[in-house]
Amino acid sequence: MRLDVNDHAYELHCEVGTTLAEALRDELSLTGTKIACGEGHCGACTVLVDGAPVLSCITLAHAVGDAKVTTIEGLREHPMLRSFVRADALQCGFCTPGQVVSAVALVEARPEPTTEEIRHAMAGNLCRCGAYPKIEEAIRTWRD
Amino acid sequence: MELRQASDTTVDGVPIHGGTEVVPLLRAGLLRAETLVDIRGVVSRGVADGRIGAGVPLAEIECDPQVPEVLREACRLAASPQLRNMGSLGGNLLQATRCWYWRLNWPCRLHDGDECFAREGEHREHAIFANDFCASAHPSDVAAALLALDATLTTSRRELPLAGLYRLPTDDDRRTTTLDPGELILDVRYDKPDASVYLKAMERKRWAFPLVGVAAVRRGATTRVALAGVAPIPWLLDGFESAAPLPRNAYKVDVAKALVKRATAAVAG
């Protein structure tokens, strides 16, 4: 099968039933995408598929087809990363890749989101350290 | 396991669209499949006046101004942004209960066993109506909205009112839907309401299943109210006399009454 990830075309072999998160991490060594709950609740595994945030831990790798996948590794140069660092928007950091991916999708669609829009768009990314106020700040000030 | 692309609406295998329910159930061993059939290519994704393709993701319905408020709000308050990007309208209607005994594969009545563990056990989030045989609660906000809208479904085999999609499980038939194996929901139609609203009580403010969801739709002088999270299937409200709460979920009756009062006031002409 083929996967288009971060503008690279990869050839890989995995069984049907393998999730996109497993394929990214175990086959392509793109371990920036985290698996936490593994059942679609927490958002740590969020990646973009054709620009929309989806949960890679419950997406079948074989169902991705020709869609373009963007992982945290593909967002290295995005100002949102620096903004998370600047705002100190994390503690343990495990949820951070997913947070950044969701945040990037939000500001690409709405460069100046309101607080309500930020909370609505980020509701699917849980942070057990409770860094939410700083995450909100990072998104609010991403272009500073 | 193999994954095939559907070439038409005759499906021989387990249909999969967004996968938000099918994949977790497969991984938990609650659903078994030799063949998965990807139906995204054969189920409509269009939204037109009074008609929505079953393949439209909730995220699109949520912000489409043609869609009645009750359905938009039910979509907006359902699940998380990622799940709304993935999950389709048709799939949402077919989601399984969140009953923890069922999800943990206890041999309950929905798993063809002979006991409802929730009735004697932990049932804070369970059904307050029609819970005698099985106390599971139906989690679909969208189904409650469509039931209040008195929507009609077209499947690959027939047309039916939304209410006809669901059935209460019984001793001789444990299913909660009337869909045959391989039958696909293709689209949903409804008449425009004069006013409509969806109100939802949750354990937290966002991204939670409904403790109680209340959909109210008014056309002329008639208001139709349907509830999510209160019965094993989406529940068309016909008063509270038939409510039979369990010891630890009686609060749901109060919550439902309050939300119904607010919702009917909000749609009053």
Side-chain angles (χ1 to χ4, degrees):
Chain A
M1 64 171 293
R2 286 165 60 92
L3 277 179
D4 179 334
V5 183
N6 303 330
D7 290 325
H8 292 278
Y10 293 94
E11 288 277 347
L12 61 159
H13 297 279
C14 45
E15 281 178 23
V16 171
T18 305
T19 65
L20 177 58
E22 290 165 343
L24 291 169
R25 291 178 55 83
D26 302 340
E27 304 298 323
L28 307 182
S29 299
L30 293 171
T31 53
T33 300
K34 303 302 181 207
I35 300 174
C37 75
E39 51 184 28
H41 288 298
C42 76
C45 68
T46 304
V47 300
L48 303 180
V49 171
D50 284 341
V54 304
L55 300 169
S56 63
C57 80
I58 56 167
T59 297
L60 294 182
H62 290 77
V64 175
D66 299 329
K68 290 171 89 68
V69 178
T70 307
T71 68
I72 187 69
E73 288 90 347
L75 298 172
R76 257 179 241 280
E77 306 302 324
H78 198 284
M80 186 62 76
L81 267 187
R82 208 173 299 250
S83 191
F84 265 66
V85 174
R86 200 169 47 231
D88 199 13
L90 56 134
Q91 283 186 48
C92 83
F94 204 80
C95 72
T96 310
Q99 300 279 0
V100 172
V101 170
S102 284
V104 165
L106 169 62
V107 299
E108 292 297 321
R110 289 190 168 273
E112 289 183 35
T114 63
T115 299
E116 169 56 28
E117 285 167 344
I118 293 173
R119 291 180 181 181
H120 188 59
M122 299 301 294
N125 291 84
L126 306 186
C127 169
R128 292 198 68 180
C129 303
Y132 298 111
K134 295 288 189 182
I135 292 168
E136 212 175 289
E137 182 188 324
I139 298 170
R140 220 174 41 240
T141 60
W142 74 284
R143 289 200 290 199
D144 291 359
Chain B
M1 192 159 66
E2 58 161 353
L3 176 70
R4 279 206 302 254
Q5 301 293 322
S7 51
D8 56 39
T9 55
T10 314
V11 167
D12 188 15
V14 173
I16 180 167
H17 197 283
T20 57
E21 178 78 304
V22 169
V23 175
L25 292 184
L26 284 171
R27 291 173 70 81
L30 292 169
L31 177 66
R32 285 172 213 288
E34 302 216 327
T35 305
L36 293 173
V37 183
D38 184 345
I39 59 168
R40 286 176 299 176
V42 298
V43 177
S44 160
R45 287 196 56 152
V47 181
D49 208 23
R51 185 191 161 283
I52 305 179
V56 181
L58 301 194
E60 284 178 31
I61 301 171
E62 167 187 356
C63 41
D64 192 322
Q66 304 172 76
V67 175
E69 171 68 16
V70 65
L71 184 53
R72 290 180 59 181
E73 188 67 1
C75 289
R76 198 181 77 85
L77 294 176
S80 68
Q82 297 95 319
L83 291 166
R84 295 195 297 274
N85 284 331
M86 301 167 74
S88 65
L89 176 63
N92 186 282
L93 297 179
L94 297 176
Q95 66 186 297
T97 180
R98 305 308 304 182
C99 173
W100 31 68
Y101 297 103
W102 186 85
R103 293 261 161 189
L104 293 170
N105 212 4
W106 284 43
C108 74
R109 285 185 172 139
L110 287 187
H111 285 309
D112 287 326
D114 54 12
E115 193 179 336
C116 173
F117 298 96
R119 285 191 62 86
E120 299 298 320
E122 289 301 325
H123 50 239
R124 220 184 77 81
E125 298 182 8
H126 285 66
I128 53 172
F129 290 103
N131 57 9
D132 202 34
F133 183 73
C134 160
S136 68
H138 199 276
S140 173
D141 302 296
V142 171
L146 289 174
L147 182 58
L149 280 167
D150 199 12
T152 302
L153 303 180
T154 308
T155 77
S156 49
R157 294 179 198 171
R158 60 192 162 134
E159 211 168 78
L160 73 165
L162 184 109
L165 175 64
Y166 299 103
R167 64 180 301 283
L168 285 167
T170 53
D171 204 20
D172 54 357
D173 186 349
R174 309 296 172 95
R175 293 175 307 157
T176 54
T177 78
T178 63
L179 227 51
D180 290 327
E183 183 178 10
L184 304 181
I185 301 174
L186 299 180
D187 70 28
V188 175
R189 282 175 294 122
Y190 49 82
D191 293 328
K192 246 194 178 134
D194 292 325
S196 69
V197 71
Y198 188 72
L199 303 176
K200 179 176 177 181
M202 293 181 261
E203 200 86 77
R204 55 188 176 207
K205 273 192 173 173
R206 291 165 209 268
W207 178 197
F209 291 96
L211 295 171
V212 179
V214 174
V217 169
R218 183 179 63 80
R219 292 187 184 95
T222 310
T223 298
R224 196 174 148 98
V225 177
L227 276 58
V230 300
I233 58 176
W235 193 250
L236 187 64
L237 186 65
D238 180 23
F240 283 94
E241 294 73 23
S242 59
L246 300 165
R248 282 174 296 284
N249 71 4
Y251 77 95
K252 279 198 178 190
V253 177
D254 297 331
V255 173
K257 281 181 177 169
L259 291 185
V260 168
K261 197 170 163 187
R262 283 186 216 169
T264 44
V267 298

